[in-house]
Amino acid sequence: MRDRARNPYHGLADHAFWDRSVGSLPLFALDPMAGAPVPPQAKLTRQTRIATAGSCFAQHIADRLQASGYRYLVTEDAPDGVDTEEARARGYRLFSARYGNVYTARQLRQLIERAYGRFVPADSAWERPDGRFADPFRPRIEPAGFASPEAVEAERQAHFACIRRLFETLDVFVFTLGLTEGWQAAEDGAAFPLSPGVAAGRFDPDRYVFVNQPVEEVIADLSAFADALTTVNPCARLILTVSPVPLVATYEARHVLQSTVLSKAVLRVAAQRLADTRADTLYFPSYEIITSPEGAFRYLESDLRSVSKDGVDHVMRVFFRHLTEGGEQDALPASSRSLHAARSEYAQQAAVVCDEELLAAGGRRPWLGGSSSSATTAKSRSWGAAFSSLRRMLTSRR
């Protein structure tokens, strides 16, 4: 009697099975990068010039790379004499250049097009309520604003020079996709990080339109950016990841949870499409780590939006383990190489500046006040701790 053909799943590695690689593992051991090894030539070395951009979560990656001694490329730094706190408030060193949050693929594509003069939007300066002016594409970089539209333009041209130098000299560009929803100019399609009227400018429904990009447009924009980057820097590589931070608000006529799931699904599919079709692009699963079944329980703060320090630690352990020459030990403080010590001794997490937090301000905070995300993270108990307290309370009453 002929032997039956083996089940095609027979002999697959543990990472292919949920119960072996997720269900039966403690959370700290979850590693969604397990599988095909990253080629040695694709790993980051201490000589690799690494640049970052994207949503708020990308700032964590930038902070950890710098803290671990990797060559984090910054082409637009604060002037001499500006201390760290003021520099961050003015948008310096949050990313490799002072472009602020770049939430969407459309913003990213237009960033490189604007820097090289291939796209010149009609919106050049927005007036603020105090009579000062802001750059529509980075409305929060100067808390004091600019004295005139001409001052905005002069600063913008200096900024573009820094961006061109960044794109032409980087080795690896790490981009964290954050949103599909956004606001654009009806006239020319210019994409903004914030709607006019939130931090500067005046909202006019005849001039500005809401856009929620479908997956085809996100893929097209990411591909166009990657092609443009390769044109000015043929050796550049791209690492894409999806921010695990939910939407602070949706403009769609549906629940914000539905909009969050749809937005992240679109971004995840788009990132994978590029990783599957481009040899210069890699996907990193920070989204999967934080939103895994147990991760969402442990790694989100009580607002169910801010990522806890333990969550960032886990993401960066996996990042360093697979993508750097130094491996996992470089993700931890030099003074300690254990997970327990890393949790207790790691330097205080740098404040994360997130433009879209202004959408939830509702007039209760100054229109140019600091982001609430870091305060929430620092002051609120984690959801896991809150749930554990509730469980103990219910158990004690039995």
Side-chain angles (χ1 to χ4, degrees), residues 1-34:
M1 184 175 179
R2 296 177 60 185
D3 292 337
R4 292 183 178 180
R6 284 189 171 184
N7 182 319
Y9 293 90
H10 179 79
L12 292 183
D14 286 349
H15 69 260
F17 297 91
W18 183 272
D19 62 337
R20 301 181 200 170
S21 62
V22 180
S24 63
L25 293 182
L27 178 58
F28 71 84
L30 177 66
D31 183 357
M33 280 288 283

Side-chain angles (χ1 to χ4, degrees), residues 52-64 94-95 101-103 174-178 241-245 264 284-290 299-300 305-309 311-316 319 349 352-354 356 373:
T52 63
S55 68
C56 314
F57 192 77
Q59 294 172 38
H60 293 302
I61 297 176
D63 290 336
R64 296 301 178 89
L94 300 178
F95 305 100
N101 294 124
V102 180
Y103 291 113
V174 182
F175 182 63
T176 301
L177 291 149
T241 188
V242 175
S243 169
V245 178
K264 302 302 181 179
F284 175 72
S286 58
Y287 176 80
E288 287 84 340
I289 293 171
I290 300 301
Y299 289 161
L300 293 177
R305 187 169 186 274
S306 304
V307 178
S308 71
K309 179 185 170 297
V312 176
D313 285 346
H314 191 158
V315 168
M316 295 312 299
F319 183 95
Q349 186 68 33
V352 171
V353 177
C354 193
E356 64 168 342
S373 59

Side-chain angles (χ1 to χ4, degrees), residues 29-349:
L30 177 66
D31 183 357
M33 280 288 283
V38 176
Q41 64 272 20
K43 292 198 173 185
L44 310 178
T45 72
R46 294 187 182 277
Q47 289 72 48
T48 304
R49 291 164 295 197
I50 309 163
T52 63
S55 68
C56 314
F57 192 77
Q59 294 172 38
H60 293 302
I61 297 176
D63 290 336
R64 296 301 178 89
L65 286 169
Q66 293 176 86
S68 297
Y70 279 77
R71 190 175 179 183
Y72 184 66
L73 183 61
V74 175
T75 59
E76 190 171 14
D77 213 343
D80 292 340
V82 176
D83 62 32
T84 301
E85 184 176 353
E86 180 186 351
R88 291 184 72 90
R90 295 175 60 187
Y92 291 106
R93 282 199 172 263
L94 300 178
F95 305 100
S96 293
R98 197 162 66 138
Y99 26 64
N101 294 124
V102 180
Y103 291 113
T104 67
R106 181 64 48 82
Q107 281 180 264
L108 181 64
R109 175 180 183 171
Q110 291 182 359
L111 177 65
I112 197 169
E113 292 175 343
R114 291 191 298 116
Y116 284 91
R118 295 196 294 270
F119 177 45
V120 182
D123 286 69
S124 59
W126 284 349
E127 188 172 1
R128 306 189 331 177
D130 61 0
R132 304 281 286 180
F133 292 87
D135 186 334
F137 303 95
R138 43 190 192 140
R140 298 185 68 200
I141 60 161
E142 282 292 344
F146 294 91
S148 66
E150 291 76 18
V152 173
E153 182 61 27
E155 166 58 31
R156 179 185 295 119
Q157 293 307 317
H159 170 59
F160 284 165
C162 295
I163 290 179
R164 291 192 295 270
R165 187 164 70 252
L166 178 74
F167 287 147
E168 292 166 15
T169 58
L170 62 81
D171 295 312
V172 173
F173 186 63
V174 182
F175 182 63
T176 301
L177 291 149
L179 301 173
T180 56
E181 293 189 17
W183 291 86
Q184 297 183 8
E187 178 182 350
D188 55 18
F192 310 111
L194 288 172
S195 167
V198 175
R202 179 176 298 177
F203 180 71
D204 181 345
D206 293 327
R207 294 186 57 197
Y208 303 105
V209 295
F210 172 74
V211 174
N212 194 359
Q213 285 191 280
V215 66
E216 296 83 6
E217 289 187 10
V218 177
I219 292 171
D221 283 339
L222 287 177
S223 298
F225 168 79
D227 289 340
L229 178 61
T230 301
T231 298
V232 300
N233 186 345
C235 296
R237 289 177 284 142
L238 190 61
I239 296 176
L240 296 175
T241 188
V242 175
S243 169
V245 178
L247 276 66
V248 69
T250 181
Y251 197 71
E252 294 282 9
R254 57 176 170 243
H255 196 283
V256 67
L257 181 57
Q258 287 194 49
S259 287
T260 292
V261 172
L262 175 61
S263 182
K264 302 302 181 179
V266 166
L267 298 176
R268 179 64 184 87
V269 170
Q272 191 64 53
R273 178 69 61 84
L274 260 73
D276 288 343
T277 58
R278 299 184 64 101
D280 59 1
T281 303
L282 179 73
Y283 175 75
F284 175 72
S286 58
Y287 176 80
E288 287 84 340
I289 293 171
I290 300 301
T291 63
S292 63
E294 191 177 353
F297 176 74
R298 295 273 302 279
Y299 289 161
L300 293 177
E301 298 288 350
S302 59
D303 61 358
L304 300 184
R305 187 169 186 274
S306 304
V307 178
S308 71
K309 179 185 170 297
D310 280 352
V312 176
D313 285 346
H314 191 158
V315 168
M316 295 312 299
R317 284 198 308 275
V318 176
F319 183 95
F320 278 90
R321 178 184 302 151
H322 292 279
L323 300 182
T324 70
E325 65 173 0
E328 182 177 340
Q329 68 173 0
D330 281 350
L332 305 181
S335 61
S336 173
R337 298 301 178 190
S338 73
L339 178 59
H340 173 76
R343 287 176 172 169
S344 60
E345 296 179 13
Y346 202 94
Q348 181 178 3
Q349 186 68 33

